[in-house]
Amino acid sequence: MTTVFSGIQPSGDFHLGNYVGALRNWAAAQHEHSAYFCVVDLHALTLEIDPEELRRRTLESAVMLLAVGLDPDVVTLFVQSHVAEHTRLAWLLECTATMGELSRMTQYKEKAARGEMVRAGLFTYPALMAADILLYQADEVPVGDDQRQHLELTRDVAIRFNNRYGPTFTVPKAAVPRHGARVMDLQHPEHKMSKSVDSPMGTVGILDDPAEVERKVMRAVTDAETRVAYDPEHKPGVSNLLELLAVATGVGVQEAAARYAGYGQLKADVAQAVIAMLAPVRQRALELASDLGEVERLLSAGAARAREVAAPTYAAAAAAMGLSAP
Ligand code: ATP
Ligand code: LTN
């Protein structure tokens, strides 16, 4: 059985991009693979976040992962900071990656350009992400398109480590969905929908009520033409709507484009399809939120299971590099 690992930051409300780019594929993967899914709270510290908010959002994120359909009896669901091996292996990998490699990461460059205080952790973020993945000997990492570059770095670091210190890590690959891998902001279709960018009308939350979803989709930015066509470069807004329709209904993007003579009906259908897709998730999230004690218990059991795999991998990597056993 192959192993999958993926993570999501508890840095804000989960949105439609997170759902179609990542979360729903996690739920689909859980039964065919040995699966580990992680709320990466240490990664959330790389941008400013209020401590109380981080604590609350970490638990809420776990609720969302259960709400999208992850079965805690089948997958190992846990919080990154509960398994100390993540930061311990991250250091070993920071001593394997180079400044040049880390400097080329576009996510670092974009996020660093936004704030005046750039944390050292934002720069070394990909080494921690590589540690997350390599600790579990993951074969596949289901992520959205924006994480491809981090996955390439993870592979390079794993290969370099194995060559220099002996076979230690499985070299993983990214599993990126064909549609919905890069959902664009509805107001700024040239940028991806993102948790850490303040664009309330451009971002559809997984928990938005149906009226809100409809309002946001109906006001989505398109272009000055009226022709419905799939052309992400020249018609990013319309193409984004077509992708969403494809993801939510299973129809092909070209076929969907051919069905519409104007933007109004396209938007109305996208809104209804997205509302229907999110309805069961929203329903389960509301139910789960009433028993947070149970969610905490599940996370604690998940961390114990994760540690059983992470500890021997870390010990093997440390020994391979020449660290003496305690
Ligand atoms: P941030 O803006 O803080 O980086 P984010 O919204 O990008 O947050 P992450 O926690 O970084 O969310 O990502 C979780 C998963 O969702 C990743 O696999 C990522 O590739 C995917 N993802 C994020 N945004 C999108 C998007 N707009 N379209 C498709 N997938 C996305
Ligand atoms: N960097 C990712 C979140 C993340 C992750 C991971 C994804 C942290 N560790 C390990 C996959 C595997 C992001 O920003 N989306």
Side-chain angles (χ1 to χ4, degrees), residues 6-23 26 40 47 107 111 114 125 142-147 180-185 192-197:
S6 202
I8 187 157
Q9 301 185 64
S11 50
D13 294 328
F14 290 5
H15 54 73
L16 187 55
N18 297 136
Y19 184 65
V20 299
L23 302 180
W26 299 7
V40 292
L47 296 180
Q107 181 174 296
K111 288 190 177 177
R114 278 192 231 149
Y125 177 122
V143 282
D145 180 69
D146 61 318
Q147 297 302 311
R182 194 174 182 79
V183 175
M184 308 311 272
D185 184 294
K192 73 157 198 144
M193 200 177 274
S194 174
K195 273 193 234 112
S196 58
V197 171

Side-chain angles (χ1 to χ4, degrees), residues 93-263:
L93 299 182
E94 278 174 41
C95 296
T96 307
T98 68
M99 294 286 286
E101 277 171 329
L102 294 171
S103 316
R104 285 193 288 277
M105 294 295 113
T106 47
Q107 181 174 296
Y108 164 72
K109 289 192 269 189
E110 282 172 17
K111 288 190 177 177
R114 278 192 231 149
E116 55 290 357
M117 183 180 114
V118 180
R119 291 155 209 246
L122 186 64
F123 185 68
T124 58
Y125 177 122
L128 178 59
M129 175 163 164
D132 298 341
I133 298 165
L134 300 180
L135 276 175
Y136 301 93
Q137 308 289 9
D139 303 284
E140 282 184 23
V141 185
V143 282
D145 180 69
D146 61 318
Q147 297 302 311
R148 278 184 199 276
Q149 199 187 26
H150 285 156
L151 256 297
E152 276 309 309
L153 179 68
T154 302
R155 289 169 60 84
D156 291 345
V157 166
I159 291 167
R160 187 176 312 140
F161 190 103
N162 288 345
N163 287 340
R164 173 69 181 84
Y165 302 111
T168 307
F169 301 121
T170 301
V171 179
K173 59 176 194 299
V176 178
R178 205 152 66 84
H179 288 302
R182 194 174 182 79
V183 175
M184 308 311 272
D185 184 294
L186 297 180
Q187 289 298 312
H188 304 279
E190 63 290 356
H191 298 299
K192 73 157 198 144
M193 200 177 274
S194 174
K195 273 193 234 112
S196 58
V197 171
D198 190 28
S199 174
M201 280 301 286
T203 311
V204 174
I206 297 182
L207 298 183
D208 280 0
D209 68 46
E212 267 177 290
V213 176
E214 186 167 22
R215 194 162 60 96
K216 290 175 185 178
V217 174
M218 293 310 289
R219 295 202 193 155
V221 167
T222 48
D223 50 50
E225 298 182 349
T226 53
R227 186 176 56 94
V228 176
Y230 184 73
D231 179 355
E233 198 185 332
H234 301 106
K235 296 173 77 68
V238 175
S239 303
N240 192 35
L241 293 172
L242 288 167
E243 285 255 351
L244 288 175
L245 196 63
V247 166
T249 66
V251 66
V253 282
Q254 304 293 356
E255 193 191 333
R259 283 189 195 162
Y260 294 94
Y263 297 160

